[in-house]
Structures are given as structure tokens and as C-alpha cells.
Amino acid sequence: MEFKESNRLRKEFNDRIPGGAHTYAKGDDQFPEGMAPYIVRGKGCRIWDVDGNEFIEYGIGLRSVSLGHAFEPVLKAVTDQLRFGANFGRPSTIELECAEEFLSLVDGADMVKFCKNGSDALDGAIKLARAYTGRDLVGMCASHPFFSVHDWFIGTTPMAGGIPRALKELTTKFYYNDLASAEKMFAEHPGEISCVILEPHKYDDPADNFLHKLKDLCHKNGAVFILDEMITGFRWHLNGAQKKFNIVPDLSTWGKALGNGFAISALTGKREIMELGGLKHNKERVFLLSTTHGAETHAMAAAIATIRFYKQNNVIERLYEQGTKLEVGIMKASNDLNLKDKVAVLGPPCCSVYTTRDQNNQPSQLFRTLFMQETMKRGLIMPSTIISYSHSDADVAETVEKIHEALVVYKKAIAEGIDKYLEGRSVQPVWRKYNNDMPDH
Ligand SMILES: Cc1ncc(COP(=O)(O)O)c(C=O)c1O
């Protein structure tokens, strides 16, 4: 497999686009040196790069393309809609159709506001919570890795250049499955916390009724309870992880798989709070998610087609089934090679990730790089093990076979030293304060 054209394009991308990509998770520094392909097309679970290389993709549009690339029923709905125009000076009727279709999925949600990305939906949720409570602080679950591109979240990371200190001080933290940390947070900021934000689930199941106890704590302290379903929505359960864990939040935010890769996200929840952004109250007006492109008609069409396909085709069950086959296959390969303490699959099968540990069983970016290097050489793009509806049994079987081969190299690197097998620099964590040495830049 050659990356000649991609390697030529890398300089041009980085000369014209800061970071060479529009999402840090897609950046060159996330891929092995000299193996960061530029993509020209995708179909189902496969993608093709500018050098003509074909890959089975796991990660799949940063988890947004849950049905598959260029998925016919969604594609048809989008192209049909495009013929009628994308954006008008008044709402298009498809916005109501999309709102009704979406609200049919979410228990306890009375209204919805659509926008283009998850960060904006969360921003809207925070604004509503602040307006509703008259408080400034946000209580964020620090066990969860990412919520938003906006200052309230990025200000909490090591990459907080350009964010005023005053804004950084408005976000406080608690931890998942650690009710005491949330109690402490509320006790340290009495009457100041407007909302609590967390993903309903990640890798650890909620223990000892954590979600319900947190919601009660939140309400006892007069704060709004917000669940971020960006990843869990359209994967854990057709009605969101909130349904799976039988909890109704005050507000929830959705995106990613909602439009099978097309740009649409949603803020939804109780009328009493959502209506603050509306015309039917006498309180101070809240400027809630008013954007030029927020209701682009073809994105609405994508969401409607996606939701209908999910309803008619047991998509969630298939994501779990195919994800389980993948997990079982990888774990068998890992076990057979006596690597199960090093390479293991984590998280629910509908949306899993994997570990790459070194000879001392410590998490290792170097071994992650080696794993990616060896899987990419064999036609897999695998920053994670996220499955889609389009991954067939044959795709999964081919993947497992190739992972077995890659793990043979991994095992040799454990025994003989990674330097002998790693062909370039290590991948880098996104969250770093400075650009570390990147010899390929
Ligand atoms: C849990 C979670 N919330 C929110 C977001 C932000 O979504 P977007 O990138 O669409 O702004 C992401 C993005 O990865 C996410 O993973």
C-alpha cells in the first residue's frame, strides 16, 4: 500500500488549512507517519483514498455515519429534497415533519430546535439552563472526553489558548459514577450551578442508580439535568441511552448519527425550558440557536430518512450484533496470541474502542501507532472499532483476519522492542499544550 499522493497533498493541506483538517480527530498527528490518507469517496463501510487504496473504515465519519457511506435511502431523500431548494426566508414545511419524526423518539421531550453541530446544540442547552436558573456555572462530567468546541468546554482542556480566564472559571467538574464528587461540587458552589452535563453512558455502566441519583441531586439544588446523546443517540437504543437507562432528562442534545453524516443536530427537552427560546412568554428573551443554515432542507430530509430507516430495519440490533462479532473476533485473535492484557475491546459493541498497552501493560501511544500502522497496511482504518449497519459478516471476518496478522507483528514488537517494527513517529494526543516534534511536518 502506497501513500504517495496523500504524502504530497499533506503539505498543501497544511499550508491552506490550519491543522490540515477540519476536525482535530482527523489530523495527521492522529495517524502513523506517512500513512495519513486523503479520502476521495466512500460506499457502505469502505472508503477509497487519493492513491486508490481501499479501506474498511471503523470510526466511520467520527461515529456519524451509522448506516454507511452514501447510503441509498438517505441519499435519495437528500437528492430529492435538493431539487426543491435548500434554504428560504421562512421555515420550510419539512422542518415540522422532521420535528415530529424526531420527537416521536424522545420520551418527555416536547420541543426541538435543530442546528448543524453538536457543540451548538449543547451551547443552546447551557444558555437555556442559565436563563432558566439565573445562574452562571456549568457542572460538567470530567470523566467524559469531549463535549464541545466552545469555550466553556475547551477552556477545561490543555489546549485552551485564546480562551479568557473569566470564561474558564465558569465550568466546574464532577465524575461519572461518583455521586460524592457531584455533591461536593454543589456544596462548593451553593446556588451557582445552572446545569449538570454528562453522557448517559460511556464504558462503565451507571452503578447504584447513579443517573437517577444525580438527577435528584441536580433538582434538589435547582439545576437543570442535561444528557448529551451525541454518541449514544442512534446507537445505544432507538430512543437514546436515556431510554435504555430509563431516565428522562430536562434537556438532551443529539447529533452525529441523526443525519447519517449530514450536518444536523438537535436540542430537545421540556417545554417549560425550551419555550424560553420562543415567543410565548413574558420573561427575558433568550436568543436560542438562530443560524442561517440550521434548518437546511436536505439535512432535515437526511434525518427523516435516517429515523425512518432505523424504525423499519432494527438498525440498533444489527449494530450490537455486528459489533459483538467484531469484538469476539478481535478478542479471540488477542487471546490466541496471548495479548489480551494489551489489546482488548472496550465499551458497548454498538460503539467500541480498543486498548493498546505496552510490554508493562501500560497504555501506549507508540503501540497504538504500531497497531494502526499494521492494520492500515492491510486495508483497515481503525482509530476505534466503531461499527456501522453496512459492515457485513464478510467485512467483519476480513477485518478479524487482518487484525490477527497485525497482532502477530504487535507480539513480536512486545518481545523484541517496538523500535524494530515502528516505521515512524508516534501518534499524538489531541490534548497537548504545544505541538510536539512532528518530523513529517
Ligand atoms: C459526546 C460529544 N458531545 C458533543 C460533541 C460535539 O459535536 P460536534 O462535533 O458536532 O460539534 C461531540 C463530538 O465529537 C461528542 O463526542
Side-chain angles (χ1 to χ4, degrees):
M1 193 166 284
E2 291 215 332
F3 294 91
K4 228 166 139 186
E5 188 58 10
S6 282
N7 286 331
R8 187 189 69 75
L9 283 177
R10 189 171 60 245
K11 183 174 175 338
E12 305 205 6
F13 265 73
N14 282 278
D15 279 351
R16 289 175 179 77
I17 302 168
H22 286 88
T23 323
Y24 282 105
K26 295 185 186 181
D28 302 341
D29 53 359
Q30 303 303 297
F31 285 80
E33 187 172 348
M35 296 179 89
Y38 292 95
I39 309 304
V40 287
R41 74 188 170 92
K43 186 74 191 165
C45 67
R46 294 189 181 245
I47 58 177
W48 288 264
D49 74 5
V50 69
D51 287 284
N53 300 314
E54 178 178 337
F55 300 93
I56 306 180
E57 198 195 10
Y58 293 89
I60 199 105
L62 307 175
R63 297 172 165 87
S64 69
V65 186
S66 58
L67 295 175
H69 297 293
F71 194 73
E72 282 307 328
V74 179
L75 208 54
K76 179 169 182 335
V78 168
T79 47
D80 286 355
Q81 189 63 42
L82 278 173
R83 287 179 225 290
F84 297 114
N87 206 340
F88 314 104
R90 280 282 296 157
S92 157
T93 51
I94 198 168
E95 293 169 43
L96 181 60
E97 194 183 341
C98 192
E100 285 171 350
E101 201 61 77
F102 178 79
L103 288 171
S104 74
L105 295 180
V106 190
D107 287 352
D110 305 309
M111 303 179 91
V112 58
K113 195 106 184 191
F114 293 114
C115 45
K116 284 297 183 200
N117 59 60
S119 303
D120 285 351
L122 272 159
D123 237 31
I126 291 172
K127 191 180 279 181
L128 282 178
R130 284 175 166 157
Y132 185 73
T133 59
R135 302 170 176 181
D136 289 344
L137 297 193
V138 170
M140 178 193 89
C141 180
S143 315
H144 295 158
F146 190 78
F147 286 107
S148 173
V149 299
H150 295 309
D151 292 355
W152 71 270
F153 173 73
I154 300 295
T156 69
T157 74
M159 210 173 156
I163 299 177
R165 195 179 320 130
L167 290 184
K168 292 183 194 168
E169 287 166 2
L170 295 180
T171 301
T172 60
K173 295 178 184 175
F174 67 97
Y175 297 90
Y176 197 78
N177 273 344
D178 184 352
L179 196 68
S181 70
E183 285 166 346
K184 183 164 175 276
M185 178 184 80
F186 277 111
E188 280 172 359
H189 304 282
E192 289 181 317
I193 296 177
S194 64
C195 61
V196 152
I197 298 179
L198 70 160
E199 293 185 75
H201 188 232
K202 199 95 202 153
Y203 309 119
D204 297 329
D205 286 342
D208 187 24
N209 228 5
F210 173 70
L211 292 173
H212 294 79
K213 286 186 178 166
L214 181 67
K215 179 179 161 182
D216 288 348
L217 178 71
C218 199
H219 286 171
K220 206 173 85 196
N221 284 279
V224 175
F225 183 68
I226 303 171
L227 288 179
D228 181 8
E229 293 261 18
M230 218 60 63
I231 289 176
T232 51
F234 295 90
R235 281 194 178 271
W236 268 238
H237 190 285
L238 177 59
N239 310 98
Q242 52 191 271
K243 182 76 173 181
K244 189 166 174 127
F245 297 111
N246 194 23
I247 181 144
V248 177
D250 300 318
L251 298 173
S252 57
T253 51
W254 304 64
K256 299 235 182 225
L258 168 56
N260 193 45
F262 285 92
I264 180 162
S265 59
L267 162 63
T268 192
K270 290 184 179 158
R271 184 177 307 282
E272 188 191 351
I273 307 175
M274 293 290 291
E275 185 58 66
L276 288 176
L279 302 174
K280 297 203 284 186
H281 67 84
N282 297 319
K283 301 188 180 123
E284 190 179 6
R285 276 161 63 71
V286 175
F287 191 81
L288 181 63
L289 295 172
S290 173
T291 57
T292 300
H293 300 292
E296 228 174 16
T297 58
H298 56 275
M300 301 280 140
I304 294 169
T306 301
I307 294 171
R308 290 187 182 153
F309 192 87
Y310 265 74
K311 283 182 174 168
Q312 290 158 9
N313 293 279
N314 292 331
V315 175
I316 300 282
E317 277 168 38
R318 185 170 162 87
L319 294 177
Y320 277 93
E321 271 168 29
Q322 299 308 90
T324 301
K325 287 174 197 161
L326 179 66
E327 177 178 341
V328 168
I330 296 175
M331 290 315 295
K332 181 169 182 331
S334 183
N335 269 320
D336 288 351
L337 291 163
N338 211 10
L339 287 173
K340 73 172 179 347
D341 295 334
K342 316 230 169 347
V343 178
V345 177
L346 289 183
C350 61
C351 190
S352 62
V353 294
Y354 59 85
T355 59
T356 46
R357 295 178 185 271
D358 64 14
Q359 59 283 358
N360 302 316
N361 291 340
Q362 293 305 309
S364 163
Q365 294 280 29
L366 283 172
F367 273 92
R368 177 174 170 78
T369 316
L370 180 71
F371 182 83
M372 289 181 75
Q373 170 190 296
E374 293 304 314
T375 46
M376 287 185 75
K377 275 185 190 170
R378 293 169 172 82
L380 306 174
I381 292 212
M382 249 190 165
S384 51
T385 36
I386 317 279
I387 201 87
S388 79
Y389 183 81
S390 291
H391 286 88
S392 68
D393 285 355
D395 295 319
V396 172
E398 183 182 336
T399 302
V400 168
E401 198 184 309
K402 289 175 171 173
I403 287 181
H404 190 282
E405 290 171 20
L407 289 183
V408 169
V409 181
Y410 197 108
K411 189 177 168 77
K412 285 188 194 158
I414 291 279
E416 300 166 27
I418 190 158
D419 290 351
K420 198 166 160 197
Y421 293 94
L422 190 61
E423 291 165 17
R425 53 118 184 96
S426 175
V427 296
Q428 308 283 330
V430 169
W431 302 125
R432 57 193 202 276
K433 200 168 172 65
Y434 299 101
N435 282 320
N436 300 353
D437 198 20
M438 292 274 293
D440 48 340
H441 276 75

